[in-house]
Amino acid sequence: MASIPNLSSFLPTLSHSNPNNQCTLPPTSLFGTRITLLRATSSSRSLPNTSCSATSATVSFSLPTPKPLSDTPDKTPKWSERAIKSYAMGELEARKLKYPNTGTEAILMGILVEGTSNAAKFLRANGITLLKAREETVELLGKSDLFFFSPEHPPLTEPAQKALDWAIEEKLKSAGEGGEINVTHLLLGIWSQEESAGQQILATLGFDDGKAKELSKKIDGDV
């Protein structure tokens, strides 16, 4: 049986003295042509961070912004970092399931994926996990067509939009000025939308008005 040639014997030592940051392999019987390798530059290494920043900005702009208070616009509440991440993870969950929209069920899953907020910890403490929420979502809404692909940012359903608006209004009522609209506001906003997919899934998994009231007592503690 013929021996298999050793790949390393065909490869010369690469030199990086080329001023254009390129190194070229000479033609060999293995490659049959010249192969040029472009070295990474400092600018190319910075691209991932730039991409992440752009994504974060896009997600932030996707969330509704509270109307500035006329006398103190600089104290208008903003979405917390955890709330923004939860929303972004919700969009991703909708895309994973190939749904055309981001609904209350997707935002609920996003809260559980983010996982570090008081709301997510409260849900897990009461036996409501991401796996259970995802299973209930598929059971309730079904699976999307195999060949369907969700848009990059699936638009909000009407109940999901109302849940976000509720979160903003609740923050303005409870604190008035300043502070952040956090994940607890977001979760209670989902619960407020009766008959929505997210509310039905929460109810099926044991969440009720009593637990909502218990959670609302710590609504401003998720900093």
Side-chain angles (χ1 to χ4, degrees):
M1 180 176 177
S3 61
I4 300 174
N6 187 352
L7 179 62
S8 62
S9 64
F10 292 93
L11 297 178
T13 302
L14 300 182
S15 172
H16 298 298
S17 59
N18 191 311
N20 294 324
N21 289 327
Q22 294 180 344
C23 53
T24 303
L25 298 177
T28 70
S29 59
L30 177 63
F31 295 104
T33 186
R34 292 185 182 275
I35 296 177
T36 300
L37 305 177
L38 179 64
R39 296 174 59 195
T41 62
S42 58
S43 59
S44 65
R45 286 195 295 269
S46 66
L47 288 178
N49 291 335
T50 302
S51 176
C52 291
S53 300
T55 301
S56 299
T58 302
V59 170
S60 299
F61 294 147
S62 298
L63 286 164
T65 304
K67 293 180 180 179
L69 302 176
S70 57
D71 52 344
T72 53
D74 57 319
K75 294 185 178 181
T76 301
K78 303 293 191 298
W79 290 96
S80 70
E81 183 178 347
R82 288 190 179 103
I84 293 172
K85 286 183 178 179
S86 296
Y87 180 82
M89 292 300 100
E91 282 190 335
L92 183 58
E93 287 300 308
R95 295 185 68 193
K96 283 181 180 179
L97 292 173
K98 297 186 176 182
Y99 288 164
N101 300 94
T102 300
T104 52
E105 74 291 337
I107 298 175
L108 171 61
M109 288 187 285
I111 291 172
L112 291 165
V113 171
E114 193 281 329
T116 66
S117 65
N118 287 343
K121 293 175 183 177
F122 184 87
L123 290 174
R124 289 199 302 272
N126 284 276
I128 302 175
T129 64
L130 173 62
L131 181 60
K132 290 179 180 179
R134 187 180 287 133
E135 288 176 346
E136 289 298 328
T137 296
V138 174
E139 180 71 21
L140 180 64
L141 302 179
K143 294 183 178 180
S144 185
D145 185 270
L146 179 64
F147 301 103
F148 176 81
F149 293 95
S150 299
E152 183 178 358
H153 296 289
L156 289 166
T157 61
E158 184 177 351
Q161 181 65 62
K162 288 182 178 179
L164 298 181
D165 292 340
W166 185 97
I168 293 173
E169 292 171 5
E170 187 64 23
K171 174 60 183 176
L172 292 174
K173 285 192 299 184
S174 62
E177 300 178 358
E180 293 181 325
I181 309 163
N182 58 44
V183 184
T184 301
H185 291 104
L186 198 54
L187 178 60
L188 294 177
I190 294 171
W191 181 250
S192 71
Q193 301 307 303
E194 296 183 4
E195 303 303 320
S196 69
Q199 196 263 1
Q200 292 181 57
I201 291 167
L202 283 170
T204 300
L205 296 177
F207 196 88
D208 54 26
D209 287 334
K211 288 183 172 61
K213 186 175 182 179
E214 179 183 350
L215 185 59
S216 66
K217 294 178 181 179
K218 301 178 287 185
I219 198 167
D220 290 317
D222 195 9
V223 178

